[in-house]
Every structure is written in structure tokens, then in C-alpha cells.
Amino acid sequence: MNGHPVHRLLAASTLGLLATSVVLDLIDLVTGTGAFNLAAWWMLAGGITVGLLSSPWVMADWLRVPRGSRARRIGAMHGSGHAMVILLFAASWWLRTPEAEVPGLAIALSLAGAGTALVTAWLRGAPLSPRGASVYDDAGLGAPGS
């Protein structure tokens, strides 16, 4: 898709929405006003939805990586990690109501999701992006060092 596959576009949107929910939660904790609960709730809802909608493109990209390659193993860890991220944020969202104070467990789950997202995003970026994975058909992912 002109060097910008749907998978990468949706991933950035997902992570942006979920990260924004964490920032809003932290602002709410510092201010103690409860004014940011509703916005955080909607950011979570949007991030989870976009994350789930991106699944077909994620799988399509991963299936194009050569079997037995290091890139495919890293891609499997990356995808599994991001599934865990969605589950952690979904559990956080499920524990909330937009009008009430956010339970501590919900915030802990969001923070765990954010930490997991950092690790799995690094897994995606460090070894695969320099080779153009999910951008170029001839990214060389079957090479011994990939």
C-alpha cells in the first residue's frame, strides 16, 4: 500500500489511543478531580476497537514472513504480546464506568498494558523495521540475520 500498510497505520492509532488513556488516568490521579475518567474510558474503547480491527492485517503481514526465519519468530512474539496488550486494556476498560472513580486495579492493568506495549513495539521495530518488514515484498526477511 505505497509503503504504508494498513497494519502499521492501525497499530499506531491503537497505541496512540491506549497511551492517551494512560496519560489521562495519570493526570486524573494527580489532580484527583475525576474530570478525565470519561475521556480515558473513550480512549480505551477506541484503542481496543481499532486494535481488534487491525487483526486481519496483522495476520496477513505475519503469514508473508518466511517460515522458520528469525523474523517470523519475532513477529509471533510481537503479535502475541500485542494480543496481551489488548487483553490488559480490555480488562481495565471492563472494570470502569465512565462516571465513577477508576478502580486501582483498572489503572494497574492499563499500566501493565502500556509496559507490555513498549516491549512488543520494540520487538516489532528493532529487528524488522530496518529491513522494511510489512512494507516491501522483498524485505529480505529470510536472510540468516533476520
Side-chain angles (χ1 to χ4, degrees):
M1 194 169 130
N2 296 328
H4 300 286
V6 174
H7 168 185
R8 292 179 96 175
L9 295 171
L10 293 175
S13 299
T14 300
L15 293 175
L17 288 163
L18 295 175
T20 301
S21 75
V22 172
V23 170
L24 291 169
D25 280 341
L26 294 175
I27 291 171
D28 201 59
L29 278 175
V30 170
T31 64
T33 63
F36 299 93
N37 291 349
L38 180 62
W41 189 86
W42 281 108
M43 292 295 127
L44 280 170
I48 294 162
T49 301
V50 175
L52 292 173
L53 290 174
S54 69
S55 298
W57 285 278
V58 171
M59 185 59 75
D61 281 349
W62 183 72
L63 290 173
R64 291 177 57 201
V65 177
R67 290 182 187 270
S69 67
R70 179 173 175 260
R72 188 160 175 124
R73 286 188 303 279
I74 291 170
M77 288 188 294
H78 165 73
S80 299
H82 272 297
M84 180 58 68
V85 167
I86 297 298
L87 288 173
L88 288 166
F89 278 105
S92 174
W93 181 79
W94 184 74
L95 290 170
R96 301 166 184 246
T97 56
E99 300 83 20
E101 184 176 332
V102 178
L105 179 57
I107 293 172
L109 289 167
S110 287
L111 291 172
T116 305
L118 288 172
V119 172
T120 59
W122 175 84
L123 276 173
R124 163 58 182 101
L128 301 179
S129 284
R131 295 185 184 273
S134 80
V135 178
Y136 303 108
D137 289 336
D138 61 347
L141 295 177
S146 65

